[in-house]
Amino acid sequence: MTEALGSTATPESGRPEDEVATKKGRRGGKRGKKGPFGRLALFYRQIVAELRKVVWPTRSQLSTYTTVVIVFVVIMIGIVTVIDYGFNHAIKYVFG
């Protein structure tokens, strides 16, 4: 059979490292050799490392964001209350 034009796959490459990687599979690396407490310590170290990357908001940004969220929630509560009140009266009208 002929290969498609422009194909980069060459099954005759004969690279032994590819064969070894597919035969062995993954063994877990460093993670497989540690006990449960070692894995837990690694997990917490990774958490601390990720939290150091976070750009934390300033106090004024935090108060602004909090105010915006509270105002949005109050508006949504008002909308849902009005809709509920309307449905309540519609049901009372329809069913007596």
Side-chain angles (χ1 to χ4, degrees):
M1 225 150 130
T2 60
E3 292 289 323
L5 291 176
S7 175
T8 59
T10 57
E12 302 85 35
S13 65
R15 293 176 34 193
E17 59 268 10
D18 288 343
E19 293 172 8
V20 171
T22 56
K23 287 182 183 177
K24 270 190 174 181
R26 299 190 90 186
R27 297 241 181 205
K30 295 179 183 177
R31 205 175 352 159
K33 297 177 184 175
K34 293 183 179 180
F37 292 112
R39 288 193 304 255
L40 190 62
L42 174 65
F43 177 69
Y44 283 119
R45 281 196 305 270
Q46 288 174 346
I47 288 174
V48 170
E50 287 297 321
L51 286 175
R52 287 188 179 148
K53 296 178 188 177
V54 173
V55 178
W56 297 97
T58 63
R59 185 175 294 273
S60 65
Q61 289 173 333
L62 187 63
S63 63
T64 301
Y65 298 156
T66 304
T67 304
V68 167
V69 168
I70 290 173
V71 167
F72 177 77
V73 168
V74 167
I75 290 171
M76 292 308 295
I77 288 172
I79 291 172
V80 170
T81 302
V82 168
I83 291 172
D84 184 51
Y85 184 76
F87 279 138
N88 189 12
H89 279 294
I91 295 297
K92 284 182 182 176
Y93 179 76
V94 170
F95 294 111

